[in-house]
Amino acid sequence: MGFRYQKRVKLGKGFGLNVSKSGIRPSYRSKSGSVSSKGYSVRTGIPGLTYKKSFSKGGCMLVFVVGLFMLTTMTYISCTTDTEEDEWACGTYNSKTLYTGPKGGCYYYTSNKNKTYVERSECNC
């Protein structure tokens, strides 16, 4: 039985370093899969079913890694929305600023950034 060591150091926003006995490798993980200098994997949406492909030595691996990273990043950016654009201030409640969301809900933010809803009649929009 051989010795095996593997650890992932998270750097934020899906980026990380994979540390193992064979060295340190950068990687990127997203909802749709992951990419590293060793290869890539694509999640299928079916639990337990993933497609993995390892890179061979040489070839155009760097071009593929950069292309897949750009595709994943563009997909992530296009699928996220900024909630601040969908809400507007509509008065105050207990010295807190009230906001009205895109569906008409009236709420304020607590100190830990959670929404607390109040009666719609409290909003002065």
Side-chain angles (χ1 to χ4, degrees):
M1 179 192 282
F3 172 73
R4 182 171 182 223
Y5 175 78
Q6 186 173 1
K7 174 72 178 164
R8 178 170 171 82
V9 178
K10 295 179 182 179
L11 300 176
K13 300 222 179 213
F15 293 99
L17 296 174
N18 296 330
V19 182
S20 68
K21 188 170 70 172
S22 62
I24 300 172
R25 298 183 185 272
S27 68
Y28 176 75
R29 289 183 181 174
S30 71
K31 292 179 186 177
S32 58
S34 63
V35 179
S36 75
S37 58
K38 277 189 160 183
Y40 66 93
S41 68
V42 179
R43 293 187 182 101
T44 62
I46 302 170
L49 184 60
T50 303
Y51 176 76
K52 290 185 179 183
K53 173 71 174 158
S54 296
F55 295 123
S56 60
K57 298 279 183 188
C60 53
M61 175 186 70
L62 181 61
V63 173
F64 180 78
V65 169
V66 170
L68 189 59
F69 169 75
M70 289 175 55
L71 179 65
T72 304
T73 303
M74 290 179 349
T75 303
Y76 175 76
I77 290 171
S78 67
C79 291
T80 58
T81 60
D82 189 7
T83 58
E84 293 177 4
E85 294 177 1
D86 297 335
E87 65 184 19
W88 55 91
C90 278
T92 58
Y93 178 80
N94 290 341
S95 71
K96 305 260 188 198
T97 303
L98 289 174
Y99 296 95
T100 299
K103 295 182 180 177
C106 188
Y107 53 90
Y108 63 90
Y109 288 103
T110 61
S111 59
N112 57 355
K113 309 264 192 230
N114 291 330
K115 290 180 184 178
T116 301
Y117 287 86
V118 298
E119 292 292 324
R120 289 186 183 184
S121 61
E122 297 289 337
C123 283
N124 300 322
C125 293

